[in-house]
Coordinates of all heavy atoms in Angstrom, one line a residue:
M1 N 103.3 140.9 55.2 CA 102.4 140.6 56.3 C 102.9 141.1 57.6 O 104.0 140.9 58.0 CB 102.2 139.1 56.3 CG 101.1 138.6 57.2 SD 100.9 136.8 57.2 CE 100.8 136.5 59.0
K2 N 102.0 141.7 58.3 CA 102.3 142.3 59.6 C 102.4 141.3 60.7 O 101.6 140.4 60.7 CB 101.3 143.4 60.0 CG 101.7 144.3 61.1 CD 100.6 145.4 61.3 CE 100.4 145.7 62.7 NZ 99.2 146.4 63.0
N3 N 103.4 141.4 61.5 CA 103.5 140.5 62.7 C 102.6 140.9 63.8 O 102.8 142.0 64.3 CB 105.0 140.4 63.2 CG 105.8 139.3 62.4 OD1 105.2 138.4 61.8 ND2 107.1 139.5 62.4
I4 N 101.6 140.1 64.1 CA 100.7 140.5 65.2 C 101.3 140.0 66.5 O 101.7 138.8 66.5 CB 99.3 139.9 64.9 CG1 98.8 140.4 63.5 CG2 98.3 140.4 66.0 CD1 97.7 139.6 63.0
I5 N 101.3 140.8 67.5 CA 101.8 140.4 68.8 C 100.6 140.1 69.7 O 99.8 141.0 70.0 CB 102.7 141.4 69.4 CG1 104.0 141.5 68.6 CG2 103.1 141.0 70.9 CD1 104.9 142.6 69.0
Y6 N 100.4 138.8 70.0 CA 99.3 138.4 70.9 C 99.8 138.5 72.4 O 101.0 138.2 72.6 CB 98.8 137.0 70.6 CG 98.2 136.9 69.3 CD1 98.8 136.4 68.1 CD2 96.8 137.2 69.1 CE1 98.2 136.3 66.9 CE2 96.2 137.1 67.9 CZ 96.9 136.7 66.8 OH 96.3 136.6 65.6
P7 N 98.9 138.8 73.3 CA 99.3 138.8 74.7 C 99.9 137.5 75.2 O 100.9 137.5 76.0 CB 98.0 139.1 75.5 CG 97.1 139.7 74.5 CD 97.5 139.1 73.2
M8 N 99.4 136.4 74.6 CA 99.9 135.1 75.1 C 101.4 134.9 74.7 O 102.1 134.1 75.3 CB 99.1 133.9 74.5 CG 99.0 133.9 73.0 SD 97.9 132.6 72.5 CE 98.9 131.7 71.3
H9 N 101.8 135.6 73.7 CA 103.2 135.5 73.3 C 104.2 136.3 74.2 O 105.4 136.1 74.1 CB 103.4 136.0 71.8 CG 102.7 135.1 70.8 ND1 102.1 135.6 69.7 CD2 102.5 133.8 70.8 CE1 101.6 134.6 69.0 NE2 101.8 133.5 69.6
C10 N 103.6 137.1 75.0 CA 104.4 137.8 76.0 C 104.4 137.1 77.3 O 105.1 137.6 78.3 CB 103.8 139.2 76.2 SG 103.7 140.2 74.7
A11 N 103.7 136.0 77.4 CA 103.7 135.3 78.7 C 105.1 134.8 79.1 O 105.9 134.6 78.2 CB 102.8 134.0 78.6
P12 N 105.4 134.7 80.4 CA 106.7 134.2 80.7 C 107.0 132.8 80.1 O 106.1 132.0 80.0 CB 106.6 134.1 82.3 CG 105.4 134.8 82.7 CD 104.5 134.9 81.5
R13 N 108.2 132.6 79.7 CA 108.5 131.3 79.1 C 109.1 130.4 80.1 O 109.7 130.7 81.1 CB 109.6 131.6 78.0 CG 109.1 132.5 76.8 CD 108.1 131.7 76.0 NE 106.9 132.5 75.8 CZ 105.9 132.1 75.0 NH1 106.0 131.1 74.3 NH2 104.8 132.8 75.0
C14 N 109.0 129.1 79.7 CA 109.5 128.0 80.5 C 111.0 128.0 80.3 O 111.5 128.1 79.2 CB 108.9 126.7 80.2 SG 109.7 125.3 80.9
G15 N 111.8 127.9 81.4 CA 113.3 128.0 81.3 C 113.9 126.6 81.3 O 115.1 126.5 81.4
A16 N 113.1 125.6 81.3 CA 113.7 124.2 81.4 C 114.6 123.9 80.2 O 114.3 124.3 79.1 CB 112.6 123.2 81.5
K17 N 115.7 123.2 80.5 CA 116.6 122.8 79.4 C 116.0 121.6 78.7 O 115.8 120.6 79.4 CB 118.0 122.6 79.9 CG 119.0 122.8 78.9 CD 120.4 122.8 79.5 CE 120.9 121.4 79.6 NZ 122.3 121.3 80.2
T18 N 115.9 121.6 77.4 CA 115.4 120.5 76.7 C 116.6 119.5 76.4 O 117.7 119.8 76.7 CB 114.8 120.9 75.4 OG1 115.7 121.5 74.6 CG2 113.6 121.8 75.6
R19 N 116.2 118.4 75.9 CA 117.2 117.4 75.6 C 118.2 117.9 74.5 O 119.4 117.4 74.4 CB 116.6 116.1 75.1 CG 116.2 115.2 76.3 CD 115.6 113.9 75.9 NE 114.2 114.1 75.3 CZ 113.5 113.1 74.9 NH1 114.0 111.9 74.9 NH2 112.3 113.3 74.4
S20 N 117.8 118.8 73.7 CA 118.7 119.4 72.7 C 119.6 120.4 73.3 O 120.5 120.9 72.6 CB 117.9 119.9 71.5 OG 117.0 121.0 72.0
G21 N 119.4 120.8 74.6 CA 120.2 121.7 75.2 C 119.7 123.1 75.2 O 120.3 124.0 75.8
H22 N 118.6 123.4 74.5 CA 118.1 124.7 74.4 C 117.0 124.9 75.4 O 116.4 123.9 75.8 CB 117.6 125.0 73.0 CG 118.6 124.8 71.9 ND1 119.6 125.7 71.7 CD2 118.8 123.9 71.0 CE1 120.4 125.3 70.7 NE2 119.9 124.2 70.3
P23 N 116.7 126.1 75.8 CA 115.6 126.4 76.7 C 114.3 125.9 76.1 O 114.1 126.0 74.8 CB 115.6 127.9 77.0 CG 116.9 128.3 76.5 CD 117.4 127.4 75.5
C24 N 113.3 125.5 76.9 CA 112.0 125.0 76.4 C 111.2 126.1 75.6 O 110.7 125.8 74.6 CB 111.3 124.4 77.6 SG 109.6 124.1 77.2
K25 N 111.1 127.2 76.2 CA 110.4 128.4 75.6 C 108.9 128.2 75.5 O 108.3 129.1 74.9 CB 111.0 128.7 74.3 CG 112.4 129.4 74.4 CD 112.9 129.8 73.0 CE 114.1 129.0 72.6 NZ 114.4 129.1 71.2
S26 N 108.3 127.1 76.0 CA 106.9 127.0 76.0 C 106.3 128.0 77.0 O 107.0 128.3 78.0 CB 106.5 125.6 76.4 OG 106.8 124.7 75.4
P27 N 105.1 128.5 76.9 CA 104.6 129.4 77.9 C 104.5 128.7 79.2 O 104.1 127.6 79.3 CB 103.2 129.8 77.4 CG 102.9 128.8 76.3 CD 104.2 128.2 75.8
A28 N 105.0 129.4 80.3 CA 104.9 128.8 81.6 C 103.5 128.9 82.2 O 102.7 129.7 81.8 CB 105.9 129.6 82.5
I29 N 103.2 127.9 83.1 CA 101.9 128.0 83.8 C 101.8 129.2 84.6 O 102.8 129.7 85.2 CB 101.8 126.7 84.7 CG1 101.9 125.4 83.9 CG2 100.6 126.8 85.6 CD1 100.6 125.0 83.2
H30 N 100.7 129.8 84.6 CA 100.5 131.1 85.3 C 100.9 131.0 86.8 O 100.5 130.1 87.5 CB 99.0 131.4 85.3 CG 98.7 132.8 85.8 ND1 99.0 133.9 85.0 CD2 98.2 133.3 86.9 CE1 98.7 135.0 85.7 NE2 98.2 134.7 86.8
G31 N 101.8 131.8 87.1 CA 102.3 131.9 88.5 C 103.5 130.9 88.7 O 104.0 130.8 89.8
K32 N 103.8 130.2 87.7 CA 104.9 129.2 87.8 C 106.0 129.6 86.9 O 105.8 130.4 86.0 CB 104.4 127.8 87.5 CG 103.3 127.3 88.5 CD 103.9 126.8 89.8 CE 102.8 126.4 90.8 NZ 102.1 125.2 90.4
A33 N 107.2 128.9 87.0 CA 108.3 129.3 86.2 C 108.5 128.2 85.1 O 109.4 128.3 84.3 CB 109.6 129.4 87.0
R34 N 107.7 127.2 85.1 CA 107.8 126.1 84.2 C 106.5 125.8 83.4 O 105.4 126.1 83.9 CB 108.3 124.8 84.9 CG 109.7 124.9 85.5 CD 110.7 124.8 84.4 NE 112.1 124.9 85.0 CZ 112.8 126.0 85.0 NH1 112.2 127.2 84.6 NH2 114.0 126.0 85.5
C35 N 106.7 125.3 82.2 CA 105.5 125.0 81.4 C 104.8 123.7 81.9 O 105.3 123.0 82.7 CB 105.9 124.8 79.9 SG 106.7 123.3 79.6
R36 N 103.7 123.3 81.3 CA 103.0 122.2 81.7 C 103.7 120.9 81.5 O 103.5 119.9 82.2 CB 101.6 122.1 81.0 CG 101.7 121.9 79.5 CD 100.4 122.4 78.8 NE 100.6 122.4 77.4 CZ 100.3 121.4 76.6 NH1 99.7 120.3 77.1 NH2 100.5 121.5 75.3
M37 N 104.7 120.9 80.6 CA 105.5 119.7 80.3 C 106.7 119.6 81.3 O 107.2 118.5 81.5 CB 106.1 119.7 78.9 CG 105.1 119.7 77.8 SD 104.0 118.2 77.9 CE 105.2 117.0 77.5
H38 N 107.0 120.7 82.0 CA 108.2 120.6 82.8 C 107.9 120.9 84.3 O 108.6 121.5 85.0 CB 109.2 121.6 82.3 CG 109.8 121.2 81.0 ND1 109.7 121.9 79.9 CD2 110.6 120.1 80.7 CE1 110.3 121.3 78.9 NE2 110.8 120.2 79.4
G39 N 106.8 120.3 84.7 CA 106.4 120.4 86.2 C 105.7 121.6 86.6 O 105.5 121.8 87.8
G40 N 105.2 122.4 85.7 CA 104.4 123.6 86.1 C 103.2 123.2 86.7 O 102.7 123.9 87.6
K41 N 102.6 122.1 86.3 CA 101.4 121.6 86.9 C 101.6 120.8 88.2 O 100.6 120.6 88.9 CB 100.6 120.7 85.9 CG 99.6 121.4 85.1 CD 98.8 120.4 84.3 CE 97.5 121.1 83.7 NZ 96.9 120.1 82.8
S42 N 102.8 120.5 88.5 CA 103.1 119.7 89.7 C 102.8 120.5 90.9 O 103.2 121.6 91.0 CB 104.5 119.2 89.7 OG 104.8 118.6 90.9
T43 N 102.1 119.8 91.9 CA 101.8 120.5 93.1 C 102.7 120.0 94.2 O 102.4 120.2 95.4 CB 100.4 120.3 93.5 OG1 100.1 118.9 93.5 CG2 99.4 121.0 92.5
G44 N 103.8 119.4 93.8 CA 104.7 118.8 94.8 C 104.4 117.4 95.2 O 103.9 116.6 94.4
R45 N 104.5 117.1 96.5 CA 104.3 115.7 96.9 C 102.8 115.4 96.8 O 102.0 116.2 97.0 CB 104.8 115.5 98.3 CG 104.1 116.2 99.4 CD 104.9 116.0 100.7 NE 104.4 114.9 101.4 CZ 104.0 114.9 102.7 NH1 103.8 116.0 103.3 NH2 103.6 113.8 103.3
P46 N 102.6 114.1 96.5 CA 101.2 113.7 96.4 C 100.4 113.9 97.7 O 101.0 113.8 98.8 CB 101.3 112.2 96.1 CG 102.7 111.9 95.7 CD 103.5 113.0 96.4
S47 N 99.1 114.1 97.6 CA 98.3 114.4 98.8 C 98.2 113.1 99.6 O 98.2 112.0 99.1 CB 96.9 114.9 98.4 OG 96.3 113.9 97.6
T48 N 98.1 113.3 100.9 CA 98.0 112.2 101.8 C 96.6 111.5 101.7 O 95.7 112.2 101.2 CB 98.2 112.6 103.3 OG1 97.2 113.7 103.5 CG2 99.6 113.1 103.5
P49 N 96.5 110.3 102.0 CA 95.1 109.6 101.9 C 94.2 110.4 102.8 O 94.5 110.9 103.8 CB 95.4 108.2 102.4 CG 96.8 108.0 102.6 CD 97.5 109.3 102.6
S50 N 92.9 110.4 102.4 CA 91.9 111.2 103.1 C 91.8 110.6 104.5 O 92.0 109.4 104.7 CB 90.6 111.2 102.4 OG 90.0 109.9 102.5
S51 N 91.4 111.4 105.4 CA 91.3 111.0 106.8 C 90.3 109.8 107.0 O 90.5 109.0 107.9 CB 90.9 112.1 107.7 OG 89.6 112.7 107.2
K52 N 89.3 109.8 106.1 CA 88.3 108.7 106.1 C 89.0 107.3 105.9 O 88.8 106.4 106.7 CB 87.3 108.9 105.1 CG 86.2 107.9 105.0 CD 85.2 108.3 103.9 CE 84.5 107.0 103.4 NZ 83.9 107.2 102.1
F53 N 89.9 107.3 104.9 CA 90.6 106.0 104.6 C 91.6 105.7 105.7 O 91.8 104.5 106.1 CB 91.3 106.1 103.3 CG 90.3 106.0 102.1 CD1 90.1 107.1 101.3 CD2 89.6 104.8 101.9 CE1 89.2 107.0 100.2 CE2 88.7 104.7 100.9 CZ 88.5 105.8 100.0
R54 N 92.2 106.7 106.3 CA 93.2 106.6 107.3 C 92.5 106.0 108.6 O 93.0 105.1 109.2 CB 93.8 107.9 107.7 CG 95.0 107.7 108.6 CD 95.8 109.0 108.7 NE 96.5 109.0 110.0 CZ 97.5 108.2 110.3 NH1 98.0 107.4 109.4 NH2 98.1 108.2 111.4
K55 N 91.3 106.5 108.9 CA 90.6 106.0 110.0 C 90.2 104.5 109.8 O 90.4 103.7 110.7 CB 89.3 106.8 110.2 CG 89.3 107.8 111.3 CD 88.0 108.5 111.5 CE 88.1 109.7 112.4 NZ 86.9 110.5 112.4
A56 N 89.8 104.2 108.6 CA 89.4 102.8 108.3 C 90.6 101.9 108.5 O 90.6 100.8 109.0 CB 88.9 102.7 106.9
H57 N 91.8 102.4 108.0 CA 93.0 101.6 108.1 C 93.4 101.4 109.5 O 93.8 100.3 109.9 CB 94.1 102.4 107.4 CG 95.5 101.9 107.6 ND1 95.9 100.7 107.1 CD2 96.5 102.4 108.3 CE1 97.1 100.5 107.4 NE2 97.5 101.5 108.2
L58 N 93.3 102.4 110.4 CA 93.6 102.3 111.8 C 92.7 101.3 112.5 O 93.1 100.5 113.3 CB 93.6 103.7 112.5 CG 94.7 104.6 112.1 CD1 94.5 106.0 112.7 CD2 96.1 104.0 112.5
E59 N 91.4 101.3 112.1 CA 90.4 100.4 112.6 C 90.8 99.0 112.3 O 90.7 98.1 113.1 CB 89.0 100.8 112.1 CG 87.9 99.9 112.6 CD 87.6 100.1 114.1 OE1 88.1 101.0 114.7 OE2 86.8 99.3 114.6
D60 N 91.2 98.8 111.1 CA 91.6 97.4 110.6 C 92.8 96.9 111.4 O 92.8 95.8 111.9 CB 92.0 97.5 109.1 CG 90.8 97.5 108.2 OD1 89.6 97.3 108.7 OD2 90.9 97.6 107.0
R61 N 93.7 97.8 111.6 CA 94.9 97.5 112.4 C 94.5 97.1 113.8 O 95.0 96.1 114.4 CB 95.8 98.7 112.5 CG 96.9 98.7 111.5 CD 97.7 99.9 111.6 NE 98.4 100.0 112.8 CZ 99.8 99.9 113.0 NH1 100.5 99.9 111.9 NH2 100.3 100.0 114.1
R62 N 93.6 97.9 114.4 CA 93.1 97.6 115.8 C 92.5 96.2 115.9 O 92.8 95.4 116.8 CB 92.1 98.7 116.2 CG 91.9 98.8 117.7 CD 90.8 99.8 118.1 NE 89.5 99.3 117.5 CZ 88.8 98.3 118.0 NH1 89.2 97.7 119.1 NH2 87.7 98.0 117.4
K63 N 91.6 95.9 114.9 CA 91.0 94.6 114.9 C 92.0 93.5 114.7 O 91.9 92.4 115.4 CB 90.0 94.5 113.7 CG 88.6 95.2 114.0 CD 87.7 95.1 112.9 CE 86.5 96.0 113.0 NZ 85.8 96.2 111.8
F64 N 92.9 93.7 113.9 CA 94.0 92.7 113.6 C 94.8 92.4 114.9 O 95.0 91.3 115.2 CB 94.9 93.2 112.5 CG 95.9 92.2 112.0 CD1 95.5 91.0 111.3 CD2 97.2 92.3 112.3 CE1 96.4 90.1 110.9 CE2 98.2 91.4 111.9 CZ 97.7 90.3 111.2
R65 N 95.1 93.5 115.6 CA 95.9 93.3 116.8 C 95.1 92.6 117.9 O 95.7 91.7 118.6 CB 96.4 94.7 117.3 CG 97.5 95.3 116.5 CD 97.9 96.6 117.1 NE 98.5 96.5 118.4 CZ 99.8 96.2 118.7 NH1 100.6 96.0 117.6 NH2 100.3 96.0 119.9
A66 N 93.8 92.9 117.9 CA 93.0 92.2 118.9 C 92.9 90.7 118.6 O 92.9 89.9 119.5 CB 91.6 92.8 118.9
M67 N 92.8 90.4 117.3 CA 92.8 89.0 116.8 C 94.0 88.3 117.2 O 94.0 87.2 117.7 CB 92.6 89.0 115.3 CG 91.7 87.9 114.8 SD 91.2 88.2 113.1 CE 92.7 87.9 112.2
L68 N 95.2 89.0 117.0 CA 96.5 88.4 117.3 C 96.6 88.1 118.8 O 97.0 87.0 119.2 CB 97.6 89.3 116.9 CG 98.1 89.3 115.5 CD1 99.2 90.3 115.3 CD2 98.6 87.9 115.2
K69 N 96.0 89.0 119.6 CA 96.1 88.8 121.0 C 95.3 87.6 121.5 O 95.7 86.8 122.3 CB 95.5 90.1 121.7 CG 96.1 90.4 123.1 CD 95.6 91.7 123.5 CE 95.9 92.0 125.0 NZ 95.4 93.2 125.5
Q70 N 94.1 87.5 120.8 CA 93.3 86.3 121.1 C 94.0 85.0 120.7 O 94.0 84.0 121.5 CB 92.0 86.4 120.3 CG 90.9 87.2 120.9 CD 89.6 87.2 120.1 OE1 89.5 86.6 119.1 NE2 88.6 87.8 120.7
L71 N 94.6 85.0 119.5 CA 95.4 83.8 119.1 C 96.5 83.5 120.1 O 96.7 82.3 120.4 CB 95.9 84.1 117.7 CG 95.0 83.8 116.5 CD1 95.6 84.3 115.2 CD2 94.8 82.3 116.4
K72 N 97.2 84.5 120.5 CA 98.3 84.3 121.5 C 97.7 83.7 122.7 O 98.3 82.7 123.3 CB 98.9 85.7 121.8 CG 100.0 85.6 122.8 CD 101.3 85.9 122.0 CE 102.6 85.9 122.9 NZ 102.5 85.2 124.2
G73 N 96.6 84.2 123.2 CA 96.0 83.6 124.4 C 95.6 82.1 124.2 O 95.8 81.3 125.0
L74 N 95.1 81.8 123.0 CA 94.8 80.4 122.6 C 96.0 79.5 122.6 O 95.9 78.4 123.2 CB 94.1 80.4 121.2 CG 92.6 80.2 121.2 CD1 92.1 80.5 119.8 CD2 92.2 78.8 121.6
T75 N 97.1 80.0 122.0 CA 98.3 79.1 121.9 C 98.9 78.9 123.2 O 99.3 77.9 123.6 CB 99.3 79.8 120.9 OG1 99.5 81.1 121.3 CG2 98.9 79.6 119.5
D76 N 98.8 80.0 124.1 CA 99.3 79.9 125.4 C 98.5 78.8 126.2 O 99.1 78.0 127.0 CB 99.3 81.2 126.1 CG 100.4 82.2 125.7 OD1 101.2 81.7 124.9 OD2 100.3 83.3 126.1
A77 N 97.2 78.9 126.0 CA 96.3 77.9 126.7 C 96.6 76.5 126.3 O 96.6 75.6 127.1 CB 94.9 78.3 126.4
L78 N 96.9 76.3 125.0 CA 97.2 75.0 124.4 C 98.5 74.5 124.9 O 98.7 73.3 125.2 CB 97.3 75.1 122.9 CG 95.9 75.1 122.2 CD1 96.1 75.5 120.7 CD2 95.2 73.8 122.3
K79 N 99.5 75.4 125.1 CA 100.8 75.0 125.6 C 100.7 74.5 127.0 O 101.5 73.6 127.4 CB 101.7 76.3 125.5 CG 102.5 76.4 124.2 CD 103.4 77.6 124.2 CE 103.6 78.2 122.9 NZ 104.2 79.5 123.0
R80 N 99.8 75.1 127.8 CA 99.7 74.7 129.2 C 99.2 73.3 129.3 O 99.4 72.6 130.3 CB 98.8 75.7 129.9 CG 99.5 77.0 130.4 CD 98.8 77.8 131.4 NE 97.5 78.3 130.9 CZ 97.4 79.5 130.3 NH1 98.5 80.3 130.2 NH2 96.3 79.9 129.9
N81 N 98.4 72.9 128.3 CA 97.8 71.5 128.4 C 98.7 70.4 127.9 O 99.5 70.6 127.1 CB 96.5 71.5 127.6 CG 95.4 72.4 128.3 OD1 95.5 72.6 129.5 ND2 94.5 72.9 127.4
Ligands
ZN1 ZN1 109.0 123.6 79.5

């Protein structure tokens, strides 16, 4: 039987060291040096929360601070009496 060489077999291999100590040899993700099991798919740090959620968060903080200020004013008023 003839050994057929498929293009996918010529793809760059993952060089990650497996637990057995040998290189992984799985096909690497296109443009990456590692296979999908060894971080080839990783895009680095997780994306930041969308600006929409960040805005909502900041708005909540602003409201909370305003509420605290009101409470402080109330307690100060109570202390005076
Ligand atoms: Zn790998």
Side-chain angles (χ1 to χ4, degrees):
M1 191 181 132
K2 193 177 146 195
N3 272 339
I4 306 162
I5 297 173
Y6 293 98
M8 61 185 228
H9 292 144
C10 302
R13 297 286 127 175
C14 170
K17 202 171 87 178
T18 60
R19 277 182 286 180
S20 60
H22 302 288
C24 168
K25 287 186 250 168
S26 291
I29 297 280
H30 191 73
K32 300 277 175 74
R34 293 288 179 263
C35 76
R36 62 203 170 95
M37 295 303 290
H38 291 115
K41 263 187 167 174
S42 174
T43 54
R45 69 188 269 237
S47 59
T48 55
S50 74
S51 57
K52 184 181 151 194
F53 285 114
R54 188 169 155 72
K55 259 185 187 167
H57 169 71
L58 288 174
E59 179 68 10
D60 282 352
R61 263 177 66 113
R62 198 187 61 76
K63 280 179 189 164
F64 185 70
R65 283 182 67 85
M67 215 165 74
L68 274 179
K69 210 173 171 183
Q70 276 184 355
L71 274 170
K72 180 107 178 22
L74 255 170
T75 49
D76 283 353
L78 283 169
K79 271 182 205 163
R80 278 197 294 271
N81 294 332

